[in-house]
Amino acid sequence: MRLTGALLVPVLRTLPWRALGAAGGVGLLIVSMARLTDEADEMLALNLLRAAALAFALGLAFVLDDPARHTTAAVPTRRPARHALRVALVAPVTAAWWTAALLIVPDGIRPPVGDVTLEAGAAFMLALAASAAAIRLTQVAEPGQAVAGAVLTTAVLGLLLWPGRWELFVGTQDPKWAAAHDRWGMVLVGAVVVWGVCGPEPLRRRVLLKPTRA
């Protein structure tokens, strides 16, 4: 705990605040379109919130970037703790941003808050899980740019190619709305599991980091 506390200020300084700020700004601009047209309805507001959540998820893809990754690999504080600290510091900002995005949408056309928040949470967690997987499987210290590209590509292909019988992107009036959000819940749980599995350093790499005896 003391070591984690000592990491607090350095981690705060190295978090990708510019990327998060840019992604958040773009997301809020997207959502504000719901107030700029008299033609806005609940379906438009839902799609704008989905697009805004995707924009912010692209910013979250940079959260686990650590330029000093190969130096910090040998410190006593394990990588899962360092990653959890990064996510914990970003979580309040994410919650405040998402609340602002929801409040921008007029009350009369705002989709069900709980369900659309589940979608956003799944998107955010997928970005973090993809970043953790990239760090686990490669030696790249800053995979954020590649992960953001992968997340964006996956979202576009998902809209085009996702099987109809397992639909995720449905309207609020669609009879499959509840079933779709059961699937979003599974996506969220799966992303959390992937993030947890990819958190630790590979055992072989830890062995290589052990000092050799004279």
Side-chain angles (χ1 to χ4, degrees):
M1 291 298 295
R2 291 180 180 178
L3 288 170
T4 301
L7 287 172
L8 184 61
V9 174
V11 169
L12 271 171
R13 290 176 178 172
T14 58
L15 281 171
W17 296 116
R18 290 183 180 179
L20 288 172
V26 170
L28 293 181
L29 284 174
I30 291 172
V31 175
S32 67
M33 293 175 61
R35 289 186 175 272
L36 298 178
T37 175
D38 295 331
E39 303 294 327
D41 56 14
E42 190 175 49
M43 190 63 194
L44 175 61
L46 174 61
N47 288 330
L48 291 175
L49 283 169
R50 285 171 171 166
L54 175 59
F56 198 79
L58 298 183
L60 289 174
F62 294 84
V63 166
L64 301 185
D65 283 9
D66 184 5
R69 172 190 176 183
H70 301 296
T71 302
T72 57
V75 302
T77 304
R78 296 179 182 270
R79 190 168 71 189
R82 300 196 305 271
H83 282 189
L85 179 59
R86 285 177 169 268
V87 174
L89 292 172
V90 169
V93 176
T94 303
W97 176 86
W98 182 243
T99 300
L102 289 171
L103 292 176
I104 288 175
V105 178
D107 290 338
I109 61 172
R110 187 179 300 145
V113 171
D115 290 338
V116 75
T117 299
L118 174 61
E119 293 186 25
F124 299 160
M125 200 63 226
L126 280 171
L128 293 171
S131 295
I135 292 171
R136 170 83 178 194
L137 300 175
T138 72
Q139 291 295 313
V140 178
E142 299 178 87
Q145 187 171 354
V147 170
V151 170
L152 180 59
T153 301
T154 301
V156 173
L157 292 178
L159 284 170
L160 297 175
L161 304 177
W162 193 263
R165 58 180 176 174
W166 297 328
E167 277 190 290
L168 291 173
F169 303 100
V170 300
T172 55
Q173 304 303 319
D174 195 308
K176 293 179 284 188
W177 175 263
H181 286 83
D182 290 339
R183 298 185 194 105
W184 277 113
M186 290 187 287
V187 171
L188 176 59
V189 171
V192 171
V193 170
V194 170
W195 184 58
V197 169
C198 293
E201 290 277 1
L203 293 177
R204 186 177 65 177
R205 194 173 301 161
R206 286 182 191 167
V207 171
L208 290 175
L209 288 170
K210 287 183 178 179
T212 57
R213 294 182 179 178

